[in-house]
Amino acid sequence: MPGPQPHHRLPPALLASHEWQDACRSRDFARIFRLVKLKAGIYPSRIAALCGMTPSRVGEIMTGRRALAHIDVIERVADGLRIPGAMLGLAHRPWEIPSSDHVRERAPRREPEPAPTPAPSGPAPSDNLEDLLALADGRVTRSTLTALHSSVEDYWRRDDQHGGASLRPAIVGHLTYVIQMMRTAHDTLQRDLQSLAAELARLAGWAYFDARQYSTARIYFAQALGLSHEQNDRLFMANVLSCMSLQATYEGNAVDAIALACKAQDTARAAGDQPLVMSMLHMREAFAHATLGDSSSCHQAIDRSRDAYELARGREDEAPSWVRYFDETKLIVDTGIAYARLGEAPRAEPLITEALRRQAAGRQRGRALHAYWLATAQFQQGKLDAACLSATLALDLTAAIDSPRVAGHLQEFRRRLAPYARETPVIRFEQRMREALC
């Protein structure tokens, strides 16, 4: 297959058009390629040469018979056609950065994101390998779907216990596999396969979010949103939007986080009476308000979350399976975290303490996160000994998980301790952290 070739930038009028931006936002490459042909005069054979594809594959994408899922292929298209990375949910592409000085000026104030995790065998499967896999599988049956759903359930369980770092290649591989099956499966199975693909895309987004690879996470969340939108699955769309809201909160984009949480609520309302879903969504909004320091709005969102949860009592079986994790213990701890984000530590500490007491031992990452927030609430009150003990608990729990998100929290807590570096509890925590990082 020929490699990508040099290319001049696309016309500014095309890049500025609403149709183009909408196609990029949804990563609809069929529309993108058609617009490139129509508005930029770049024909499929040239698109193929620019993006390192075969002309037949470009033709299949333009007619909707193929989709792009692999991150490396999406980046190759962005580079070949000179599509700005942000339009496709990617980091700035190398050709967008004019100088090293400019890079330093615009660099975000966080550690650079690692490259996306490759597939289990190294590079992403080639087009020919994908086709061979599809031929070898023959046909999709209900038992195939059952097995895949079991795998997804297992992925979520293992993600909660150990973090998602080691799971990401397998999740992305399964997503590619399901999308491949969608092209050849019987019509009666198409909807189920699309739902499964949406869940795998959300799971991939979540795993990359937990790894703090936010640009890659956005790509998968956008894919999940697009797949669920095609099915008009409003509840699942609300679910994906809630994940995007939480990520925006982590990135410090609280205004965007509020907008995403509120959009998720509106989307869920349109789907009918689902109080447990609404309870979770109101809490996501509360986190964003707390990040802004808006105490009044945060308290109102917490109250709405609590009221919705009361309406959901006894009706948990009516809720989608993906929201049933949001039980009373989760409501309690998230309320405590919202208070801690606000700086209302005396209200936060007893709630997080109670949730940790109740929480199942197998949920290692959740317990580690909650121990960190307990340490934060205690530190805000000047309880240095207790805060260091709680942070040490979080550190001990991280020994069984691979979650850069948790590790990042602990590094942040460590920096807060710098003014107290000579205090005995801080010295002990520092020693424990050095041992853990050896």
Side-chain angles (χ1 to χ4, degrees):
M1 181 184 298
Q5 298 181 12
H7 167 56
H8 297 295
R9 296 179 187 274
L10 295 169
L14 172 60
L15 295 177
S17 70
H18 174 76
E19 186 178 11
W20 172 265
Q21 292 178 11
D22 183 65
C24 288
R25 190 161 41 246
S26 59
R27 296 201 346 270
D28 184 348
F29 287 96
R31 287 171 62 197
I32 289 171
F33 286 177
R34 288 197 295 268
L35 287 168
V36 167
K37 176 185 174 183
L38 181 65
K39 303 294 186 180
I42 303 173
Y43 285 84
S45 59
R46 180 61 175 158
I47 292 174
L50 291 169
C51 301
M53 298 181 182
T54 61
S56 61
R57 185 183 186 191
V58 171
E60 288 173 344
I61 292 169
M62 293 179 75
T63 56
R65 286 180 292 151
R66 268 187 179 271
L68 295 184
H70 286 298
I71 302 304
D72 60 338
V73 180
I74 293 170
E75 290 178 337
R76 204 164 70 217
V77 171
D79 293 339
L81 297 178
R82 289 298 190 262
I83 302 173
M87 286 191 164
L88 293 171
L90 303 172
H92 288 300
R93 309 308 302 150
W95 48 266
E96 293 183 77
I97 303 171
S99 69
S100 58
D101 291 340
H102 192 56
V103 172
R104 286 193 292 270
E105 181 183 43
R106 296 182 56 183
R109 295 181 181 178
R110 59 175 183 266
E111 296 178 3
E113 296 171 4
T117 306
S121 59
S126 66
D127 300 337
N128 290 339
L129 179 55
E130 289 182 16
D131 294 337
L132 287 172
L133 289 172
L135 289 172
D137 290 333
R139 61 191 181 91
V140 184
T141 64
R142 287 287 170 192
S143 61
T144 309
L145 286 170
T146 300
L148 287 167
H149 278 296
S150 295
S151 294
V152 171
E153 291 173 3
D154 185 56
Y155 286 146
W156 279 118
R157 179 184 58 78
R158 291 164 62 192
D159 173 74
D160 200 23
Q161 289 180 344
H162 306 297
S166 63
L167 301 177
R168 291 195 302 273
I171 294 166
V172 173
H174 255 137
L175 173 59
T176 303
Y177 177 58
V178 170
I179 289 174
Q180 180 71 26
M181 288 195 296
M182 287 168 59
R183 300 173 190 142
T184 57
H186 192 276
D187 289 347
T188 58
L189 297 177
Q190 283 291 337
R191 185 172 181 83
D192 289 334
L193 281 169
Q194 195 163 13
S195 294
L196 183 60
E199 177 62 12
L200 281 164
R202 183 179 78 97
L203 178 53
W206 183 262
Y208 278 104
F209 160 65
D210 191 51
R212 302 173 78 193
Q213 296 185 33
Y214 298 138
S215 295
T216 306
R218 274 191 293 274
I219 291 173
Y220 285 111
F221 285 144
Q223 183 176 20
L225 195 62
L227 288 163
S228 53
H229 182 268
E230 288 175 13
Q231 292 191 301
N232 198 32
D233 187 345
R234 293 185 176 275
L235 281 178
F236 196 81
M237 289 170 63
N239 183 17
V240 179
L241 288 165
S242 77
C243 294
M244 297 172 78
S245 174
L246 184 63
Q247 177 169 313
T249 297
Y250 265 78
E251 292 186 274
N253 299 325
V255 174
D256 289 353
I258 293 168
L260 286 163
C262 291
K263 181 62 176 177
Q265 293 163 24
D266 291 341
T267 304
R269 285 190 194 96
D273 182 26
Q274 286 290 345
L276 189 59
V277 173
M278 294 302 296
S279 181
M280 180 270 288
L281 295 177
H282 286 306
M283 191 58 71
R284 291 288 163 86
E285 181 189 353
F287 282 175
H289 287 305
T291 301
L292 280 178
D294 187 342
S295 177
S296 176
S297 296
C298 179
H299 288 169
Q300 290 172 18
I302 289 171
D303 290 343
R304 288 194 293 271
S305 178
R306 188 180 298 115
D307 291 344
Y309 188 84
E310 289 303 319
L311 291 174
R313 284 189 186 277
R315 299 175 52 190
E316 290 83 359
D317 291 344
E318 300 174 18
S321 59
W322 46 261
V323 78
R324 292 177 194 167
Y325 79 95
F326 197 82
D327 55 13
E328 186 175 47
T329 299
K330 184 62 173 167
L331 175 68
I332 291 170
V333 75
D334 279 2
T335 301
I337 290 171
Y339 289 151
R341 286 180 181 273
L342 276 177
E344 298 180 4
R347 301 182 71 179
E349 183 181 2
L351 293 172
I352 302 173
T353 300
E354 173 62 14
L356 271 169
R357 186 187 66 80
R358 295 186 184 193
Q359 202 164 26
R363 295 186 171 181
Q364 296 283 75
R365 184 181 55 201
R367 286 177 58 79
L369 281 167
H370 301 156
Y372 157 77
W373 281 109
L374 178 59
T376 297
Q378 292 165 334
F379 182 76
Q380 289 172 352
Q381 298 174 82
K383 300 178 180 180
L384 193 60
D385 285 30
C388 288
L389 284 174
S390 296
T392 300
L393 171 61
L395 190 61
D396 291 343
L397 288 166
T398 61
I401 61 176
D402 187 355
S403 172
R405 182 161 54 116
V406 176
H409 279 314
L410 287 171
Q411 290 289 358
E412 178 187 344
F413 184 77
R414 185 184 195 178
R415 287 191 288 271
R416 289 183 206 158
L417 295 175
Y420 308 95
R422 296 184 179 182
E423 299 289 338
T424 300
V426 176
I427 293 171
R428 290 173 181 163
F429 173 73
E430 286 279 357
Q431 177 62 31
R432 180 69 190 88
M433 196 162 188
R434 282 194 295 271
E435 292 170 356
L437 295 177
C438 286

